[in-house]
Amino acid sequence: MKKIIISLIAVVLCAGVSFAQDMAQATQSAQNAQAAFEAGDFAAAFDGFKEALIGAEAAGEEGTALVSSCKSAIPQILLSWAKSLAKDTDYDKAIEKLEEAVASAREYENETVGQKAGELIPQVMMQKANALLTSKDFAGAAEAYKAVTEVAPENGAAYLRLGSALSAIGKTDEAEAAFDSAIEKGQGAAAKKQAATMYLKQAAGALKSKNLSAAVAAAVKSNEYLESAQACQIAGQASQLLKKNEDAAKYFEKYLQIAPAAKNAGQIAYTLGVIYQQLGDKAKAKTYYQKASSDPTYGAEAAKQAASL
Protein backbone atom coordinates (compact mmCIF):
# COMPACT_ATOMS: atom_id res chain seq x y z
CA MET A 1 0.00 0.00 0.00
CA LYS A 2 2.67 2.55 0.97
CA LYS A 3 4.82 1.76 -2.06
CA ILE A 4 1.81 2.10 -4.37
CA ILE A 5 0.92 5.55 -3.09
CA ILE A 6 4.53 6.74 -3.16
CA SER A 7 5.00 5.60 -6.75
CA LEU A 8 1.81 7.25 -7.90
CA ILE A 9 2.74 10.55 -6.26
CA ALA A 10 6.17 10.35 -7.85
CA VAL A 11 4.53 10.28 -11.27
CA VAL A 12 2.58 13.39 -10.39
CA LEU A 13 5.63 15.26 -9.11
CA CYS A 14 7.62 14.52 -12.28
CA ALA A 15 5.08 16.42 -14.30
CA GLY A 16 4.67 19.15 -11.69
CA VAL A 17 6.40 21.87 -13.72
CA SER A 18 3.41 22.06 -16.04
CA PHE A 19 0.83 22.50 -13.28
CA ALA A 20 -0.83 25.75 -12.33
CA GLN A 21 -0.52 27.18 -8.80
CA ASP A 22 -3.68 25.45 -7.57
CA MET A 23 -2.29 22.15 -8.84
CA ALA A 24 0.85 22.68 -6.78
CA GLN A 25 -1.34 23.04 -3.69
CA ALA A 26 -3.18 19.79 -4.50
CA THR A 27 0.13 18.02 -4.94
CA GLN A 28 1.33 19.32 -1.58
CA SER A 29 -1.87 18.05 0.04
CA ALA A 30 -1.21 14.62 -1.43
CA GLN A 31 2.37 14.64 -0.13
CA ASN A 32 1.18 15.60 3.34
CA ALA A 33 -1.47 12.90 3.21
CA GLN A 34 1.13 10.33 2.26
CA ALA A 35 3.30 11.37 5.20
CA ALA A 36 0.28 11.11 7.52
CA PHE A 37 -0.48 7.64 6.21
CA GLU A 38 3.10 6.47 6.83
CA ALA A 39 2.82 7.83 10.39
CA GLY A 40 -0.38 5.86 10.96
CA ASP A 41 -2.63 8.92 11.03
CA PHE A 42 -5.33 7.50 8.79
CA ALA A 43 -7.83 10.30 9.41
CA ALA A 44 -5.37 12.95 8.26
CA ALA A 45 -4.31 10.81 5.31
CA PHE A 46 -7.91 10.30 4.23
CA ASP A 47 -8.77 14.00 4.54
CA GLY A 48 -5.57 14.99 2.76
CA PHE A 49 -6.14 12.77 -0.25
CA LYS A 50 -9.77 13.88 -0.48
CA GLU A 51 -8.60 17.50 -0.50
CA ALA A 52 -5.95 16.68 -3.10
CA LEU A 53 -8.56 14.93 -5.23
CA ILE A 54 -10.81 17.98 -5.25
CA GLY A 55 -7.91 20.22 -6.26
CA ALA A 56 -6.67 17.84 -8.93
CA GLU A 57 -10.12 17.47 -10.45
CA ALA A 58 -10.45 21.26 -10.56
CA ALA A 59 -7.18 21.46 -12.52
CA GLY A 60 -8.67 19.62 -15.46
CA GLU A 61 -6.30 17.75 -17.73
CA GLU A 62 -3.25 18.79 -15.75
CA GLY A 63 -4.62 16.99 -12.68
CA THR A 64 -5.38 13.66 -14.36
CA ALA A 65 -2.41 11.79 -12.88
CA LEU A 66 -3.05 13.10 -9.38
CA VAL A 67 -6.75 12.29 -9.64
CA SER A 68 -5.83 8.70 -10.45
CA SER A 69 -3.36 8.63 -7.55
CA CYS A 70 -5.94 9.90 -5.06
CA LYS A 71 -8.67 7.57 -6.26
CA SER A 72 -6.33 4.64 -5.80
CA ALA A 73 -5.17 5.79 -2.38
CA ILE A 74 -8.47 6.66 -0.69
CA PRO A 75 -10.06 3.15 -0.65
CA GLN A 76 -6.75 1.63 0.44
CA ILE A 77 -6.44 4.09 3.31
CA LEU A 78 -9.93 3.19 4.49
CA LEU A 79 -9.06 -0.50 4.33
CA SER A 80 -5.84 -0.01 6.31
CA TRP A 81 -7.69 2.21 8.78
CA ALA A 82 -10.31 -0.51 9.32
CA LYS A 83 -7.65 -3.17 9.91
CA SER A 84 -5.97 -0.97 12.50
CA LEU A 85 -9.27 -0.38 14.30
CA ALA A 86 -10.05 -4.08 14.32
CA LYS A 87 -6.62 -4.82 15.76
CA ASP A 88 -7.41 -2.35 18.55
CA THR A 89 -10.76 -4.16 19.09
CA ASP A 90 -12.80 -1.14 18.00
CA TYR A 91 -14.97 -3.45 15.95
CA ASP A 92 -17.93 -1.19 15.27
CA LYS A 93 -15.71 1.58 13.93
CA ALA A 94 -13.71 -0.96 11.92
CA ILE A 95 -16.89 -2.26 10.27
CA GLU A 96 -17.95 1.30 9.51
CA LYS A 97 -14.63 1.99 7.76
CA LEU A 98 -14.81 -1.28 5.84
CA GLU A 99 -18.23 -0.32 4.54
CA GLU A 100 -16.83 3.06 3.54
CA ALA A 101 -13.95 1.29 1.81
CA VAL A 102 -16.39 -0.84 -0.18
CA ALA A 103 -18.40 2.21 -1.21
CA SER A 104 -15.26 4.19 -2.06
CA ALA A 105 -13.80 1.31 -4.05
CA ARG A 106 -17.04 1.03 -6.00
CA GLU A 107 -17.07 4.78 -6.68
CA TYR A 108 -13.45 4.81 -7.83
CA GLU A 109 -13.62 1.46 -9.62
CA ASN A 110 -11.08 -0.27 -7.41
CA GLU A 111 -12.42 -3.83 -7.51
CA THR A 112 -9.49 -5.42 -5.66
CA VAL A 113 -9.78 -3.22 -2.56
CA GLY A 114 -13.57 -3.44 -2.63
CA GLN A 115 -13.43 -7.23 -2.61
CA LYS A 116 -10.90 -7.34 0.23
CA ALA A 117 -12.94 -4.93 2.34
CA GLY A 118 -16.16 -6.81 1.63
CA GLU A 119 -14.62 -10.11 2.68
CA LEU A 120 -13.33 -8.58 5.92
CA ILE A 121 -16.71 -7.25 7.08
CA PRO A 122 -18.14 -10.60 8.28
CA GLN A 123 -14.76 -11.53 9.74
CA VAL A 124 -14.64 -8.40 11.89
CA MET A 125 -18.28 -8.88 12.84
CA MET A 126 -17.37 -12.39 13.96
CA GLN A 127 -14.45 -11.05 16.00
CA LYS A 128 -16.84 -8.66 17.75
CA ALA A 129 -19.31 -11.43 18.49
CA ASN A 130 -16.56 -13.72 19.80
CA ALA A 131 -15.31 -11.00 22.13
CA LEU A 132 -18.80 -10.51 23.53
CA LEU A 133 -19.22 -14.25 24.04
CA THR A 134 -15.86 -14.49 25.79
CA SER A 135 -16.84 -11.65 28.13
CA LYS A 136 -20.13 -13.49 28.88
CA ASP A 137 -22.28 -10.77 27.37
CA PHE A 138 -24.53 -13.48 25.98
CA ALA A 139 -27.37 -11.21 24.89
CA GLY A 140 -24.96 -8.93 23.06
CA ALA A 141 -23.17 -11.90 21.55
CA ALA A 142 -26.45 -13.35 20.29
CA GLU A 143 -27.31 -10.12 18.50
CA ALA A 144 -23.80 -9.92 17.05
CA TYR A 145 -23.87 -13.51 15.76
CA LYS A 146 -27.31 -12.93 14.25
CA ALA A 147 -25.81 -10.00 12.35
CA VAL A 148 -23.02 -12.26 11.06
CA THR A 149 -25.50 -14.83 9.78
CA GLU A 150 -27.37 -12.10 7.91
CA VAL A 151 -24.30 -11.10 5.91
CA ALA A 152 -22.71 -14.57 5.81
CA PRO A 153 -25.60 -17.07 5.85
CA GLU A 154 -23.32 -20.05 5.23
CA ASN A 155 -21.15 -19.40 8.29
CA GLY A 156 -21.80 -22.52 10.34
CA ALA A 157 -19.55 -21.38 13.19
CA ALA A 158 -21.66 -18.24 13.62
CA TYR A 159 -24.81 -20.34 13.95
CA LEU A 160 -23.07 -22.66 16.41
CA ARG A 161 -21.99 -19.81 18.67
CA LEU A 162 -25.35 -18.10 18.24
CA GLY A 163 -26.89 -21.26 19.66
CA SER A 164 -24.47 -21.17 22.60
CA ALA A 165 -25.29 -17.55 23.38
CA LEU A 166 -29.04 -18.07 23.10
CA SER A 167 -28.83 -21.18 25.27
CA ALA A 168 -26.98 -19.21 27.95
CA ILE A 169 -29.83 -16.68 28.21
CA GLY A 170 -32.53 -19.35 28.27
CA LYS A 171 -33.87 -18.93 24.73
CA THR A 172 -34.02 -22.66 24.13
CA ASP A 173 -36.24 -22.72 21.04
CA GLU A 174 -34.15 -20.09 19.26
CA ALA A 175 -30.97 -21.85 20.34
CA GLU A 176 -32.25 -25.13 18.91
CA ALA A 177 -33.01 -23.44 15.59
CA ALA A 178 -29.47 -22.01 15.53
CA PHE A 179 -27.93 -25.40 16.34
CA ASP A 180 -30.02 -27.01 13.59
CA SER A 181 -28.70 -24.42 11.13
CA ALA A 182 -25.15 -25.10 12.33
CA ILE A 183 -25.67 -28.81 11.68
CA GLU A 184 -26.84 -28.05 8.15
CA LYS A 185 -23.79 -25.88 7.55
CA GLY A 186 -21.05 -28.29 8.51
CA GLN A 187 -20.87 -27.98 12.31
CA GLY A 188 -22.74 -31.21 13.01
CA ALA A 189 -20.64 -32.81 15.74
CA ALA A 190 -20.21 -29.68 17.85
CA ALA A 191 -23.78 -28.47 17.35
CA LYS A 192 -25.32 -31.83 18.29
CA LYS A 193 -23.17 -32.00 21.40
CA GLN A 194 -24.13 -28.50 22.52
CA ALA A 195 -27.82 -29.00 21.78
CA ALA A 196 -27.79 -32.28 23.69
CA THR A 197 -26.07 -30.64 26.65
CA MET A 198 -28.57 -27.77 26.62
CA TYR A 199 -31.52 -30.13 26.87
CA LEU A 200 -29.74 -32.38 29.36
CA LYS A 201 -29.29 -29.44 31.74
CA GLN A 202 -32.92 -28.55 31.23
CA ALA A 203 -33.94 -32.14 32.01
CA ALA A 204 -31.85 -32.25 35.19
CA GLY A 205 -33.35 -28.96 36.38
CA ALA A 206 -36.88 -30.14 35.67
CA LEU A 207 -36.30 -33.40 37.56
CA LYS A 208 -34.91 -31.52 40.53
CA SER A 209 -37.95 -29.25 40.63
CA LYS A 210 -40.28 -32.27 40.24
CA ASN A 211 -41.52 -31.12 36.84
CA LEU A 212 -41.47 -34.73 35.74
CA SER A 213 -43.14 -34.55 32.33
CA ALA A 214 -40.82 -31.71 31.34
CA ALA A 215 -37.84 -33.73 32.58
CA VAL A 216 -38.77 -36.65 30.33
CA ALA A 217 -39.40 -34.41 27.34
CA ALA A 218 -36.07 -32.59 27.70
CA ALA A 219 -34.15 -35.82 28.25
CA VAL A 220 -35.69 -37.35 25.13
CA LYS A 221 -34.85 -34.19 23.18
CA SER A 222 -31.25 -34.39 24.41
CA ASN A 223 -30.98 -37.95 23.15
CA GLU A 224 -32.35 -36.96 19.75
CA TYR A 225 -29.18 -34.90 19.28
CA LEU A 226 -26.72 -37.16 21.06
CA GLU A 227 -27.58 -40.20 23.17
CA SER A 228 -26.23 -40.23 26.71
CA ALA A 229 -26.64 -42.50 29.70
CA GLN A 230 -27.42 -39.50 31.90
CA ALA A 231 -30.38 -38.44 29.76
CA CYS A 232 -31.71 -42.01 29.80
CA GLN A 233 -31.40 -42.14 33.58
CA ILE A 234 -33.28 -38.87 34.04
CA ALA A 235 -36.03 -39.99 31.67
CA GLY A 236 -36.25 -43.33 33.50
CA GLN A 237 -36.39 -41.77 36.96
CA ALA A 238 -39.01 -39.21 35.93
CA SER A 239 -41.11 -41.86 34.18
CA GLN A 240 -40.94 -44.11 37.23
CA LEU A 241 -42.13 -41.27 39.47
CA LEU A 242 -44.93 -40.65 37.01
CA LYS A 243 -45.81 -44.34 37.45
CA LYS A 244 -45.16 -44.99 33.77
CA ASN A 245 -43.26 -48.20 34.36
CA GLU A 246 -43.10 -49.36 30.75
CA ASP A 247 -41.49 -46.07 29.72
CA ALA A 248 -39.17 -46.19 32.71
CA ALA A 249 -38.07 -49.72 31.78
CA LYS A 250 -37.35 -48.60 28.21
CA TYR A 251 -35.14 -45.72 29.35
CA PHE A 252 -33.31 -47.73 32.02
CA GLU A 253 -32.59 -50.53 29.54
CA LYS A 254 -31.19 -47.97 27.14
CA TYR A 255 -29.03 -46.66 29.97
CA LEU A 256 -27.48 -50.10 30.48
CA GLN A 257 -26.91 -50.46 26.74
CA ILE A 258 -24.98 -47.19 26.65
CA ALA A 259 -23.14 -47.60 29.97
CA PRO A 260 -23.03 -51.30 30.93
CA ALA A 261 -20.00 -50.77 33.20
CA ALA A 262 -21.30 -47.68 34.99
CA LYS A 263 -20.86 -47.58 38.77
CA ASN A 264 -24.61 -47.59 39.26
CA ALA A 265 -25.28 -50.31 36.67
CA GLY A 266 -26.18 -52.73 39.47
CA GLN A 267 -28.64 -50.25 40.95
CA ILE A 268 -30.26 -49.69 37.53
CA ALA A 269 -30.48 -53.44 36.95
CA TYR A 270 -32.12 -53.90 40.36
CA THR A 271 -34.59 -51.11 39.55
CA LEU A 272 -35.45 -52.85 36.29
CA GLY A 273 -36.02 -56.07 38.22
CA VAL A 274 -38.49 -54.26 40.47
CA ILE A 275 -40.24 -52.59 37.54
CA TYR A 276 -40.66 -55.83 35.57
CA GLN A 277 -41.85 -57.62 38.69
CA GLN A 278 -44.51 -54.93 39.11
CA LEU A 279 -45.41 -55.30 35.43
CA GLY A 280 -45.83 -59.03 35.92
CA ASP A 281 -42.96 -60.04 33.64
CA LYS A 282 -41.24 -62.52 35.94
CA ALA A 283 -38.71 -63.67 33.35
CA LYS A 284 -37.33 -60.22 32.74
CA ALA A 285 -37.51 -59.39 36.44
CA LYS A 286 -35.40 -62.46 37.24
CA THR A 287 -32.91 -61.61 34.50
CA TYR A 288 -32.29 -58.14 35.87
CA TYR A 289 -32.21 -59.27 39.50
CA GLN A 290 -29.50 -61.76 38.53
CA LYS A 291 -27.54 -58.97 36.81
CA ALA A 292 -27.75 -56.96 40.03
CA SER A 293 -26.76 -59.84 42.29
CA SER A 294 -23.10 -58.82 42.42
CA ASP A 295 -23.84 -55.21 43.34
CA PRO A 296 -22.39 -54.39 46.81
CA THR A 297 -25.51 -52.50 47.87
CA TYR A 298 -28.37 -54.24 46.08
CA GLY A 299 -26.82 -57.66 45.42
CA ALA A 300 -28.17 -59.55 48.41
CA GLU A 301 -31.75 -58.40 47.93
CA ALA A 302 -31.50 -58.91 44.17
CA ALA A 303 -30.34 -62.52 44.64
CA LYS A 304 -33.18 -63.14 47.11
CA GLN A 305 -35.77 -61.76 44.68
CA ALA A 306 -34.33 -63.75 41.78
CA ALA A 307 -34.55 -66.96 43.82
CA SER A 308 -38.18 -66.27 44.65
CA LEU A 309 -39.23 -65.99 41.02
Side-chain angles (χ1 to χ4, degrees):
M1 163 61 185
K2 292 182 179 179
K3 291 181 179 178
I4 291 172
I5 296 175
I6 290 171
S7 63
L8 287 169
I9 291 176
V11 171
V12 175
L13 292 177
C14 287
V17 292
S18 65
F19 291 177
Q21 185 62 40
D22 57 340
M23 189 58 205
Q25 181 58 48
T27 302
Q28 185 61 55
S29 294
Q31 285 183 299
N32 292 341
Q34 172 63 29
F37 175 78
E38 292 177 2
D41 188 345
F42 299 109
F46 176 78
D47 291 341
F49 275 113
K50 288 290 273 187
E51 181 182 338
L53 175 60
I54 293 170
E57 287 177 332
E61 256 185 64
E62 291 183 330
T64 300
L66 185 54
V67 166
S68 178
S69 175
C70 292
K71 286 184 176 182
S72 177
I74 290 169
Q76 294 185 64
I77 288 169
L78 288 167
L79 178 58
S80 296
W81 194 352
K83 289 180 179 179
S84 177
L85 289 165
K87 186 177 180 181
D88 291 338
T89 69
D90 190 348
Y91 301 117
D92 288 334
K93 193 71 174 178
I95 293 166
E96 177 186 318
K97 292 304 171 188
L98 285 170
E99 290 172 345
E100 288 181 25
V102 170
S104 177
R106 187 182 301 116
E107 180 183 358
Y108 299 144
E109 299 180 348
N110 191 330
E111 184 178 345
T112 300
V113 172
Q115 183 177 347
K116 287 180 180 178
E119 290 172 352
L120 277 176
I121 289 174
Q123 294 179 35
V124 175
M125 292 173 72
M126 192 73 169
Q127 289 174 7
K128 173 187 174 181
N130 290 343
L132 291 168
L133 188 65
T134 299
S135 67
K136 301 189 185 302
D137 180 355
F138 299 116
E143 289 304 312
Y145 284 123
K146 283 179 185 177
V148 175
T149 63
E150 289 170 3
V151 299
E154 296 306 312
N155 190 330
Y159 281 106
L160 176 65
R161 293 170 191 173
L162 172 59
S164 297
L166 290 168
S167 175
I169 56 178
K171 294 188 175 182
T172 303
D173 291 343
E174 291 181 44
E176 180 181 358
F179 286 134
D180 287 344
S181 293
I183 292 169
E184 293 173 3
K185 300 178 191 305
Q187 296 290 326
K192 288 177 182 179
K193 182 177 180 180
Q194 289 193 34
T197 299
M198 175 180 71
Y199 280 113
L200 183 60
K201 289 179 180 178
Q202 192 177 88
L207 180 62
K208 185 176 181 180
S209 63
K210 305 300 181 184
N211 191 348
L212 302 177
S213 294
V216 174
V220 169
K221 195 75 176 176
S222 177
N223 272 347
E224 287 176 1
Y225 283 101
L226 187 67
E227 284 188 339
S228 71
Q230 189 177 356
C232 292
Q233 183 174 354
I234 291 172
Q237 290 173 333
S239 295
Q240 191 177 17
L241 291 169
L242 286 166
K243 302 188 184 305
K244 295 183 176 181
N245 280 345
E246 290 183 354
D247 287 346
K250 175 180 66 177
Y251 296 128
F252 283 135
E253 285 181 328
K254 188 66 176 178
Y255 177 94
L256 290 178
Q257 290 175 18
I258 296 173
K263 289 182 178 180
N264 64 341
Q267 177 187 350
I268 297 296
Y270 178 81
T271 300
L272 279 164
V274 172
I275 289 173
Y276 277 118
Q277 190 171 12
Q278 291 173 349
L279 289 171
D281 190 335
K282 292 183 179 181
K284 279 195 172 183
K286 185 172 183 176
T287 296
Y288 281 107
Y289 279 137
Q290 288 173 337
K291 287 183 177 181
S293 61
S294 61
D295 186 81
T297 302
Y298 298 92
E301 182 61 24
K304 179 180 174 182
Q305 291 297 329
S308 70
L309 295 173

